[in-house]
Amino acid sequence: MNRTVLTVLIAVAAVIVSGCAGQLKSPTPEYNVDDIVDTKTGRVVAFDDLLAALTEVQVAFIGETHDQVSHHEIQLKIIRALLEVQADVVLGMEMFTYEVQPVLDAWTLGELDEETFLREVDWDAIWGYPYILYRDILDEARIWSLKVLGLNAPHDVIQRIARGGLKGLSPEDRSKVAEDIVLDLPDYRKYIRKQYTEHDQKDLENFEFFFQAQRAWDETMADTLAKHLLEIERTAKILVFAGAGHIYKGYGIPDSFKRRTGLPYVTIIPVEPGYAGEAVRDRIADYIWVARPSKLDHPRLGVRLDEAALAQGRLKVVEVMENSKAREIGIEVGDILESLNGVKLRTAGDVARAILDAGFGEAHHLRIDRQGLHLELVFTMDADRGNEGD
């Protein structure tokens, strides 16, 4: 995926994620961390009560703000609790396109190691959030051989819709997203416009095209899930993980799914304590789970890499950013980053994964090739360092 496509996708995702819970805060939190609130009654309920509600439906949509560690911990807790009472759990994930379904199947069957899996699904280019956020969930799926469904549309097609609208698609590209895309949704349009206008959208100047891209995104995920129902046992519990903006008030994926299947569903959205009161009053989901703020930033050395060399699996530095960790430890233009903490580096994402796996504050050992001379640079990374570049 080239940088232009990725930039637009990030811009689209940024607006959608900003609409996810956890952005707006009231002065005094009305609920505590780990409270689960039934928005129909406004009352805090026990986890077992939530679990009972999930067992009454086949499908539950669980929102997330992608970079929040606690949101993924909640998802994992629900998976494990359902496994204790119901072995047949299926995961539907926004993070993967339907095109990589064979790779997901191979992963859950234990046929791929993590490095191969991430390369085959093109994790760094297609999703890009630190894999460590999702590792425990996907490891759990492999341990129990759970079916994992890639729900998303091809990202390059969504990007083209965001730039030129549905009518600008070629027949081939139009066939890659849901045929039935409903645009006459005044309340949802108002919600998405609010998120859109609150952010600088240099790459997405036409709101109508942006909204069409959002709807194609929602409808394709709903359509993919509906089609998979034919191969899923009725006793299975399907948990759909997606950005909370796709689940907010059922507007996005849930209602699109119900229109296709007629099936009832339950929605859960984790939010920060300061937003919980508003989220409950607005009933943005059936259940609000109050989660601790836990943003995980992508650690960056602060270098720009040669695109041609990167395509060949070599991390050749073409620029070292000012005030970056890379400049601090003496990385120079022309250096080739070979390994970090013993992990061979083939992609920019490998750097972040190696740092996150070792942990912030720990000593990291970076091996570089400087004009044929192999050197080792040792450094530590602060959790709040977020330089531009890789």
Side-chain angles (χ1 to χ4, degrees):
M1 177 178 289
N2 62 45
R3 285 186 179 272
T4 301
V5 172
L6 184 58
T7 298
V8 174
L9 290 173
I10 289 172
V12 174
V15 174
I16 295 170
V17 170
S18 72
C20 300
Q23 301 302 314
L24 304 176
K25 300 178 181 180
S26 56
T28 305
E30 300 177 42
Y31 298 96
N32 299 314
V33 169
D34 287 334
D35 281 349
I36 302 169
V37 188
D38 182 342
T39 62
K40 293 183 183 67
T41 64
R43 295 178 179 175
V44 175
V45 299
F47 178 67
D48 285 347
D49 295 324
L50 173 62
L51 198 62
L54 295 181
T55 59
E56 292 177 359
V57 296
Q58 186 175 13
V59 183
F61 296 89
I62 305 174
E64 64 176 59
T65 300
H66 304 309
D67 59 9
Q68 294 291 319
V69 175
S70 59
H71 295 198
H72 303 291
E73 292 172 343
I74 288 168
Q75 292 167 342
L76 185 61
K77 181 175 181 177
I78 292 172
I79 292 171
R80 288 174 171 168
L82 284 175
L83 285 171
E84 290 183 1
V85 298
Q86 169 80 42
D88 194 5
V89 174
V90 176
L91 305 181
M93 301 186 71
E94 175 196 1
M95 301 79 212
F96 303 102
T97 69
Y98 61 71
E99 297 171 308
V100 300
Q101 191 59 54
V103 182
L104 292 170
D105 292 341
W107 167 259
T108 56
L109 290 174
E111 297 173 356
L112 301 175
D113 59 28
E114 184 175 281
E115 180 182 348
T116 304
F117 169 66
L118 294 177
R119 185 173 63 251
E120 291 294 320
V121 299
D122 203 7
W123 179 271
D124 295 323
I126 299 300
W127 193 242
Y129 289 93
Y131 181 69
I132 196 171
L133 290 164
Y134 298 88
R135 176 181 282 152
D136 287 347
I137 289 172
L138 289 163
D139 281 351
E140 195 80 7
R142 184 164 62 167
I143 290 169
W144 294 96
S145 298
L146 306 182
K147 185 75 172 179
V148 176
L149 306 176
L151 300 181
N152 221 329
H155 283 191
D156 58 338
V157 178
I158 297 298
Q159 180 265 340
R160 282 193 276 277
I161 298 171
R163 284 198 180 280
L166 285 163
K167 291 183 178 179
L169 293 180
S170 68
E172 180 182 359
D173 281 345
R174 184 61 184 83
S175 70
K176 294 179 180 179
V177 294
E179 180 179 356
D180 179 20
I181 299 177
V182 173
L183 298 175
D184 185 16
L185 299 169
D187 290 340
Y188 192 30
R189 182 181 290 270
K190 181 179 178 181
Y191 165 71
I192 294 297
R193 183 178 286 279
K194 183 175 185 295
Q195 311 310 320
Y196 177 89
T197 55
E198 288 178 354
H199 294 78
D200 182 16
Q201 296 304 319
K202 296 177 182 178
D203 296 296
L204 301 168
E205 297 177 354
N206 186 307
F207 171 75
E208 181 58 32
F209 293 166
F210 174 82
F211 184 68
Q212 289 179 18
Q214 169 80 354
R215 290 302 297 140
W217 203 338
D218 294 332
E219 296 276 21
T220 301
M221 287 192 278
D223 196 57
T224 304
L225 181 60
K227 290 175 179 176
H228 274 294
L229 281 181
L230 298 174
E231 62 193 48
I232 296 173
E233 295 291 336
R234 290 197 173 195
T235 55
K237 298 302 176 186
I238 305 171
L239 303 178
V240 176
F241 299 154
H246 290 291
I247 296 171
Y248 179 90
K249 292 191 175 182
Y251 288 152
I253 311 170
D255 284 353
S256 297
F257 173 76
K258 187 174 183 179
R259 193 177 75 248
R260 287 169 167 81
T261 65
L263 292 178
Y265 59 78
V266 167
T267 57
I268 304 166
I269 293 182
V271 305
E272 292 183 6
Y275 178 48
E278 182 177 340
V280 171
R281 287 190 295 273
D282 288 350
R283 296 182 63 176
I284 69 169
D286 296 316
Y287 292 90
I288 300 300
W289 191 313
V290 185
R292 62 183 173 85
S294 55
K295 183 177 181 180
L296 178 66
D297 288 320
H298 222 300
R300 302 183 186 278
L301 288 176
V303 299
R304 188 165 62 85
L305 302 173
D306 180 88
E307 293 287 341
L310 196 57
Q312 299 171 359
R314 292 188 306 129
L315 277 62
K316 183 177 180 180
V317 177
V318 295
E319 183 182 357
V320 180
M321 308 298 182
E322 294 290 339
N323 303 316
S324 66
K325 177 61 70 172
R327 186 172 292 275
E328 177 186 318
I329 65 177
I331 293 177
E332 298 178 1
V333 171
D335 287 348
I336 297 174
L337 312 184
E338 295 185 301
S339 67
L340 181 56
N341 301 330
V343 177
K344 183 173 175 58
L345 301 176
R346 296 184 177 86
T347 71
D350 290 339
V351 177
R353 278 190 289 276
I355 292 172
L356 290 170
D357 284 348
F360 291 111
E362 300 296 324
H364 301 292
H365 298 262
L366 175 65
R367 183 177 174 83
I368 67 172
D369 178 344
R370 180 172 293 166
Q371 298 181 347
L373 181 64
H374 297 280
L375 305 173
E376 184 174 278
L377 306 177
V378 181
F379 66 95
T380 59
M381 181 72 78
D382 298 330
D384 60 354
R385 180 178 287 271
N387 297 301
E388 294 295 324
D390 296 306

